[in-house]
Amino acid sequence: MRRGARAAAPCGAGIGSEDSGRKVTAPPRWIAGVDIGGTNLRVGLVPFEGGRPVEIGRERTCAERGPAHVVTRVAAMLRDACREVRPGSVAGIGVGAPGPLDRGSGVVLETPNLGWRNVPLRDLVREAAGLPVVLDNDANCAAYGEWWQGAGRGADRLIGLTLGTGIGGGIVIDGEIYGGASGGAGEVGHMSVDFAGRLCACGARGCVEAYASGPGIAARAVEGLADGADSVLAAIADRENGRITARRVCEAAAAGDRYASRVLAEAAGILAVAVANLINLLNPDVIVIAGGVTSAGEHLFEPLDREVRRRAFRSAMAACRIVPAELRGAAGVIGAAGVFKHGVYGHV
Amino acid sequence: MRRGARAAAPCGAGIGSEDSGRKVTAPPRWIAGVDIGGTNLRVGLVPFEGGRPVEIGRERTCAERGPAHVVTRVAAMLRDACREVRPGSVAGIGVGAPGPLDRGSGVVLETPNLGWRNVPLRDLVREAAGLPVVLDNDANCAAYGEWWQGAGRGADRLIGLTLGTGIGGGIVIDGEIYGGASGGAGEVGHMSVDFAGRLCACGARGCVEAYASGPGIAARAVEGLADGADSVLAAIADRENGRITARRVCEAAAAGDRYASRVLAEAAGILAVAVANLINLLNPDVIVIAGGVTSAGEHLFEPLDREVRRRAFRSAMAACRIVPAELRGAAGVIGAAGVFKHGVYGHV
């Protein structure tokens, strides 16, 4: 790197900018997708016409070091990703971040997962990277990614669920994210299916997130171990100071542990109530389920499917596929790029 | 009436038909709305440009006498309604009927409320009345009526709930009924809010309909009386062989009966769970609540509002009005006419 100024040059040198004295006028070839998660930061370049991203970078988010620090690192990762492509060929940047956020003004309002409040993330990224930016909720981006390039490609009505620390949701209708009156739609995780049930972190009772998120599943596993359940998870809990993760439960179930399998089936059964409610209410073509817990495969999907069938209306059920996500870690990056393209060009 | 053939002439003599030797070419002035309910049949003429219907006719449905009988009477009611307006000035007929039904083919698939199966209702009405017909679900029509002319006029995102024998729901997004993949969307009544709770008529457990419909409220009132609750309802139940209706509960609450008031508050609290779920999921601008139970006024809306506020996300809640319906018995007729206009002209 010869000059500091050069090193800090914006990614792709902006749209239609000059490079080596030649005006760049070729059509955009790429869109950058940025997925800012509570744990990881992912950046990639997605082909403008769709397809798998190239050069996905992944780092720890380190949100506790503040938005400016994270944005600086996002800009550096974008520069790394852009180094492989023709200057000026990147149309812009889609950014997905945990909400609630204001899509219109591009401000992250409040994120328990990042610990940020009222951060003008869209403008910060735009200034650091020198490219136009569109910001949306991470769960919306993941759903949009699966709609654009993944398991729900082109479906007229798609609902995406991500089972993670919480349960995120995104609704895509006729190729657009359904945002609702104030951009807050899609909070499937906070659908109560048990009005007097478990207290959720949001303050309400019986939210499906309290049962079928990673921590919800882990909590249920620990409860049963405390009651003396016979399981390989008991030895793991002993070793890790009583801590169990949903991943451990999935691994144990895959290895044939019947208690772990039962814990997953219980979680799937409660998730099914929310899924059946979604089917009765929105009659979607496809529900795409993403997140670490889907690694449990049939231990999750088989009881889920069975219970949804018991609860949802037959005709609506017949019209709906319930499928695991295809894009895995890349859904957020691809979806954020898609959200940018739709936001700026009106289509993907 | 001089000739039998004349007496059976189609309503308004059809579009662009000849009457008294003069070709009718004036723009349509009216749309007929037909609301076929389990109990009542309502017919009215709605001004093409919107406004309250004229000449609403109302009769018992007598669905048990079969579709042909009902359709013949609908055609007669239409002729009565049309007698007051210029021949040829009625554009067509919107029909709302209990579902599930297939909007595309105009066939009522299965209606527990009417006891009909696979009835080509749209074509039957068209043949009997000699005018084009559009058929939709009654709950969708009621929601659309409130969106077009009622309490949710022009809202970008409206959800209509009708608390009656069941709980019907309709979703209107950007001026269109959201029908979903197979036309079955909007089944709010079968949202489970208590996965191990009361058995619903649909076979699932904990549907909000099992708690907050008319029969749900009545059942709860009877349960408490059996446990010795002190209430004027006890004397009513004694007089009527143990039967209580939701109307009686509403009347008793209005008259100051504390037990009746508590029963309504409990129902409202459970309805609130479903309403909060709708707000978190769909972030609507307005939720319009219709049906006989809304006569309870503050006895219903005050506890409803309080519990929704406890459960829904603040920003989504702030964007949403929860209001009683305005059109009462006319919502179905007005909405059916609106659905016809939208279906044929692409707008209302």
Side-chain angles (χ1 to χ4, degrees), chain B residues 70-292:
Chain B
V70 171
V71 166
T72 302
R73 283 168 47 235
V74 163
M77 290 168 80
L78 283 167
R79 273 194 301 278
D80 280 354
C82 291
R83 209 161 275 153
E84 304 302 312
V85 303
R86 188 169 48 72
S89 65
V90 179
I93 305 165
V95 177
L101 48 78
D102 183 323
R103 304 199 288 173
S105 63
V107 174
V108 170
L109 299 174
E110 194 172 356
T111 57
N113 282 353
L114 301 181
W116 299 353
R117 276 180 88 110
N118 297 321
V119 174
L121 189 60
R122 182 190 64 194
D123 293 352
L124 289 177
V125 174
R126 186 177 58 205
E127 281 155 27
L131 283 169
V133 176
V134 170
L135 175 71
D136 210 320
N137 179 296
D138 53 357
N140 283 347
C141 289
Y144 202 69
E146 291 290 337
W147 173 82
W148 189 25
Q149 306 284 331
R153 238 181 325 274
D156 288 336
R157 287 148 293 254
L158 171 148
I159 302 171
L161 301 186
T162 304
L163 312 180
T165 311
I167 294 186
I171 302 170
V172 181
I173 299 176
D174 293 336
E176 289 191 37
I177 289 170
Y178 173 83
S182 56
E187 289 288 358
V188 179
H190 300 283
M191 174 184 284
S192 176
V193 294
D194 188 13
F195 63 76
R198 274 198 206 170
L199 192 61
C200 178
C202 76
R205 286 200 176 270
C207 297
V208 63
E209 177 166 311
Y211 300 87
S213 63
I217 292 171
R220 177 69 195 92
V222 169
E223 276 169 32
L225 293 176
D227 292 348
D230 175 26
S231 167
V232 299
L233 293 170
I236 295 171
D238 280 348
R239 219 166 44 228
E240 298 181 12
N241 300 319
R243 281 192 69 240
I244 289 280
T245 61
R247 170 182 287 190
R248 293 293 192 202
V249 178
C250 293
E251 287 167 355
D257 187 86
R258 294 180 62 179
Y259 172 70
S261 195
R262 206 163 70 236
V263 168
L264 281 175
E266 274 179 29
I270 295 175
L271 180 64
V273 181
V275 169
N277 285 350
L278 290 173
I279 291 174
N280 286 346
L281 185 67
L282 293 177
N283 191 189
D285 302 86
V286 59
I287 294 179
V288 180
I289 301 182

Side-chain angles (χ1 to χ4, degrees), chain A residues 265 268-269 272 296-309:
Chain A
E298 284 312 296
H299 294 280
L300 182 79
F301 283 93
E302 198 274 318
L304 173 68
D305 226 67
R306 186 162 17 110
E307 187 64 18
V308 172
R309 267 172 215 291

Side-chain angles (χ1 to χ4, degrees), chain A residues 137-184:
Chain A
N137 180 295
D138 52 357
N140 283 348
C141 289
Y144 203 70
E146 291 290 338
W147 173 81
W148 188 25
Q149 305 285 332
R153 238 182 324 274
D156 289 334
R157 287 149 293 253
L158 172 147
I159 302 170
L161 300 187
T162 305
L163 312 180
T165 310
I167 294 185
I171 302 169
V172 181
I173 299 176
D174 292 336
E176 290 191 37
I177 289 170
Y178 172 83
S182 57

Side-chain angles (χ1 to χ4, degrees), chain B residues 58-74:
Chain B
R58 179 171 156 184
E59 297 183 1
R60 305 292 286 182
T61 305
C62 305
E64 70 285 358
R65 300 183 66 178
H69 174 80
V70 171
V71 166
T72 302
R73 283 168 47 235
V74 163

